[in-house]
Amino acid sequence: MSGRFRAAVVGAALALIAGHIVGHGALAAERGPRLRIGHYSTGSGLIGFVIDRMGTPIKLRFDGTAEILALTAEPAPYESMTLKRDDGVSVLRIYETGRVLVFSDKLSGGSADAYHDQEAEPLVVKNATKEQAETEAESLGRRLGRAGAPALKISLDAPRLSADSAAWSGMADAIAVTGTALAEMLTSPIAREIIAAKLQRVVIRDADQVDVRLAGDTLIVEVEAREAITGRPSSARLKSAIGDLL
């Protein structure tokens, strides 16, 4: 596939992600921008999600969760594009024809076609102040304690952020995603026992990179707070990293 043809395929596939082919003239000019965001569902109704391709990266949020995923597009067979999470797992495949295929272990055969069924709002993280982020960290520690990790304390390390910095929204989002990962892991008796035995503290640190590492009994989640969504690991990447570290 030539570079020029591949670029054309990529553009066409992403342009059709909303699942509609818009008419010509005034209708196209009026409706075009809105079609870059939409809600999709599988025919069975088991999976629903919002996809937002207004900017880079492409963003996705599954129904029933507040976590927003940043997706990376890669060329795939049959003139399609695969969209992957930050842990390398494929989430969607979009064909030049406009077909949207969603991948999930909740689906029979692991995948199903998804169809645009309603309008949606842009995917953005909630605004948060420093005080709200710190309160959320304390609250998360209590929730995880009730879930089986009573000694686990959550703290923030962001000395370069001013008290009124908008980047505290990114810190609050990182807290929420870290909480999602740990809460899901604590539903497993084996993981709960390991976490309770080996972890005493979780530090969410504003840094110049995205990383997850262990320092003694402390799990350090490094984020780029000023880079909303792309500046922190997904809950899936966190679960994988924590499992490897422990």
Side-chain angles (χ1 to χ4, degrees):
M1 183 185 295
S2 70
R4 179 176 296 178
F5 181 68
R6 176 174 295 177
V9 169
V10 171
L14 295 181
L16 291 173
I17 193 170
H20 289 289
I21 299 178
V22 184
H24 297 289
L27 180 61
E30 178 184 352
R31 296 188 59 196
R34 299 182 65 190
L35 297 178
R36 297 175 69 84
I37 302 173
H39 182 274
Y40 286 73
S41 297
T42 58
S44 65
L46 288 176
I47 300 289
F49 56 90
V50 171
I51 184 121
D52 177 355
R53 63 177 191 86
M54 290 296 290
T56 302
I58 296 171
K59 297 183 286 292
L60 179 143
R61 184 185 65 213
F62 284 105
D63 292 356
T65 177
E67 180 179 1
I68 300 172
L69 299 174
L71 304 180
T72 300
E74 294 184 2
Y78 306 108
E79 299 179 350
S80 66
M81 293 298 299
T82 295
L83 302 181
K84 295 184 176 183
R85 295 186 314 223
D86 60 349
D87 62 348
V89 172
S90 298
V91 178
L92 295 178
R93 180 166 293 169
I94 303 163
Y95 293 81
E96 187 179 18
T97 59
R99 179 189 180 194
V100 176
L101 190 68
V102 58
F103 301 104
S104 173
D105 55 12
K106 296 179 181 179
L107 298 168
S108 176
S111 64
D113 286 304
Y115 306 91
H116 181 273
D117 54 9
Q118 58 183 297
E119 302 289 340
E121 296 297 320
L123 296 177
V124 296
V125 300
K126 295 189 300 182
N127 291 330
T129 63
K130 178 182 179 181
E131 182 179 1
Q132 289 170 329
E134 291 173 340
T135 298
E136 180 58 29
E138 293 175 3
S139 176
L140 176 58
R142 292 192 294 271
R143 294 199 305 271
L144 294 177
R146 293 191 294 269
L152 199 56
K153 305 299 180 184
I154 312 297
S155 62
L156 305 179
D157 181 16
R160 64 182 184 176
L161 297 185
S162 62
D164 61 351
S165 173
W168 286 105
S169 299
M171 292 294 287
D173 182 51
I175 294 166
V177 173
T178 300
T180 295
L182 288 169
E184 290 181 4
M185 295 184 76
L186 288 170
T187 61
S188 163
I190 295 176
R192 184 164 60 246
E193 182 178 347
I194 293 173
I195 290 172
K198 293 189 175 183
L199 285 185
Q200 297 291 313
R201 187 179 178 213
V202 176
V203 176
I204 299 174
R205 175 173 295 160
D206 180 36
D208 293 319
Q209 62 181 356
V210 179
D211 194 19
V212 185
R213 55 192 177 88
L214 195 64
D217 59 6
T218 299
L219 177 71
I220 300 174
V221 181
E222 292 188 323
V223 304
E224 294 182 84
R226 292 181 177 85
E227 300 294 331
I229 305 172
T230 58
R232 48 82 176 151
S234 68
S235 61
R237 179 177 168 185
L238 274 167
K239 285 188 290 184
S240 177
I242 294 170
D244 290 342
L245 291 168
L246 298 180

